[in-house]
């Protein structure tokens, strides 16, 4: 069976188009509000379960993805997938939702964002922290980075609340992936990154017509060399 080829789009990021299959996954997303819950992290919206068949779909893409990171299927410890719907308006964001974040300080996680929405909902940006020059958070630099950012945030004079788009007083965007229906992007989870969302209506009547994505986290049994 021919494997899909992920296209390298930046130093650590790759993308792949799967438009026809994506129509199916959007149709299978629930419009039933009780199926959507607030996640345990600071994601500005709601998560819902994906059908079990989505794991089959993503598992078919993992071997070619892992080859980009010098890893193999035998190195995969865990795969987690969820629908993700951004629902928090610009005005409702707390301070740390307006700056880039990292998913884990460990070098053993790969994240995948599967866009089930159009480009009107923005995309995903990757960032460099200006004062520390950090773009990859690790166990060694996490404490220093977090402390420095907390101090900078207390002195930051934000006039308005909004999702970060391009640059920020504390960060410089180094790479941007435009949302496109059917597009999947992957990157190490400890890169500083953020959803970049323009001023669009995030309170649409149909849940599946908003900024809908599927997020996948792949945990490996060894550390990536970044």
């Amino acid at each position: 069976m021919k494997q899909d080829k992920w296209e390298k789009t930046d130093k650590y990021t790759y993308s792949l188009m799967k438009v026809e299959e994506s129509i199916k996954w959007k149709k299978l997303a629930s419009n039933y509000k009780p199926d959507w819950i607030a996640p345990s992290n600071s994601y500005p919206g709601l998560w819902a379960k994906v059908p079990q068949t989505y794991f089959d779909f993503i598992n078919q893409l993992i071997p070619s993805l892992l080859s980009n990171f010098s890893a193999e299927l035998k190195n995969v410890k865990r795969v987690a997938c969820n629908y993700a719907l951004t629902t928090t308006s610009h005005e409702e964001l707390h301070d740390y939702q307006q700056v880039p974040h990292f998913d884990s300080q460990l070098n053993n996680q790969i994240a995948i964002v599967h866009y089930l929405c159009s480009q009107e909902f923005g995309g995903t940006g990757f960032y460099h922290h200006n004062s520390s020059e950090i773009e990859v958070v690790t166990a060694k630099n996490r404490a220093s980075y977090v402390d420095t950012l907390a101090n900078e945030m207390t002195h930051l004079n934000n006039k308005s609340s909004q999702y970060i788009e391009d640059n920020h007083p504390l960060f410089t965007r180094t790479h941007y992936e435009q949302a496109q229906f059917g597009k999947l992007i992957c990157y190490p989870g400890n890169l500083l990154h953020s959803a970049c969302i323009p001023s669009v209506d995030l309170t649409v009547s149909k849940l599946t017509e908003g900024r809908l994505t599927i997020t996948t986290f792949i945990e490996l049994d060894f550390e990536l060399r970044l």
Side-chain angles (χ1 to χ4, degrees), residues 1-6 14-19 21-22 25 53-69 71 73 76 79 110 112-114 182-186 216 218:
M1 182 178 68
K2 183 180 178 182
Q3 286 194 345
D4 294 284
K5 183 174 176 58
W6 291 77
Y14 297 82
S15 70
L16 178 69
M17 291 299 299
K18 283 288 184 181
V19 177
E21 294 92 331
S22 298
W25 304 122
T53 48
Y54 188 80
F55 286 88
D56 300 330
F57 164 73
I58 210 72
N59 282 333
Q60 292 175 5
L61 305 181
I62 287 179
S64 58
L65 180 156
L66 292 178
S67 65
N68 297 312
F69 296 96
L73 270 177
V76 176
V79 177
I110 298 172
I112 302 174
V113 176
H114 185 174
K183 180 180 181 181
L184 295 93
I185 64 169
C186 74
T216 297
I218 303 169

Side-chain angles (χ1 to χ4, degrees), residues 152-169:
E152 291 175 335
M153 294 285 281
T154 61
H155 295 91
L156 186 64
N157 183 21
N158 264 349
K159 295 183 179 180
S160 61
S161 174
Q162 62 182 33
Y163 287 94
I164 184 172
E165 287 196 59
D166 44 26
N167 294 334
H168 181 275

Side-chain angles (χ1 to χ4, degrees), residues 91-107:
E91 295 74 22
E92 296 172 315
L93 294 171
H94 63 64
D95 289 346
Y96 281 92
Q97 289 174 321
Q98 300 177 60
V99 296
H101 67 278
F102 57 97
D103 300 324
S104 171
Q105 68 180 23
L106 302 178
N107 279 336

Side-chain angles (χ1 to χ4, degrees), residues 43 46-48 51 55 74 88 95 100 109 114 151 158 179 225:
Y43 176 77
L46 303 172
W47 279 7
F55 286 88
K74 65 181 181 181
T88 304
D95 289 346
Q109 183 172 278
H114 185 174
N151 181 59
N158 264 349
R225 294 181 180 178

Side-chain angles (χ1 to χ4, degrees), residues 37-151:
I37 61 172
S40 57
N41 57 24
S42 60
Y43 176 77
L46 303 172
W47 279 7
K49 292 181 179 179
V50 297
Q52 186 59 41
T53 48
Y54 188 80
F55 286 88
D56 300 330
F57 164 73
I58 210 72
N59 282 333
Q60 292 175 5
L61 305 181
I62 287 179
S64 58
L65 180 156
L66 292 178
S67 65
N68 297 312
F69 296 96
S70 300
E72 301 178 42
L73 270 177
K74 65 181 181 181
N75 298 121
V76 176
K77 291 175 61 178
R78 179 173 176 266
V79 177
C81 306
N82 292 282
Y83 281 110
L85 180 71
T86 307
T87 58
T88 304
S89 69
H90 289 258
E91 295 74 22
E92 296 172 315
L93 294 171
H94 63 64
D95 289 346
Y96 281 92
Q97 289 174 321
Q98 300 177 60
V99 296
H101 67 278
F102 57 97
D103 300 324
S104 171
Q105 68 180 23
L106 302 178
N107 279 336
N108 68 339
Q109 183 172 278
I110 298 172
I112 302 174
V113 176
H114 185 174
Y115 296 108
L116 299 180
C117 61
S118 65
Q119 62 183 14
E120 71 174 295
F121 289 101
T124 301
F126 299 86
Y127 296 85
H128 166 106
H129 181 231
N130 294 335
S131 64
S132 69
E133 300 185 348
I134 288 173
E135 61 178 337
V136 179
V137 178
T138 67
K140 290 183 178 180
N141 66 22
R142 180 187 181 280
S144 174
Y145 167 72
V146 170
D147 289 346
T148 300
L149 180 60
N151 181 59

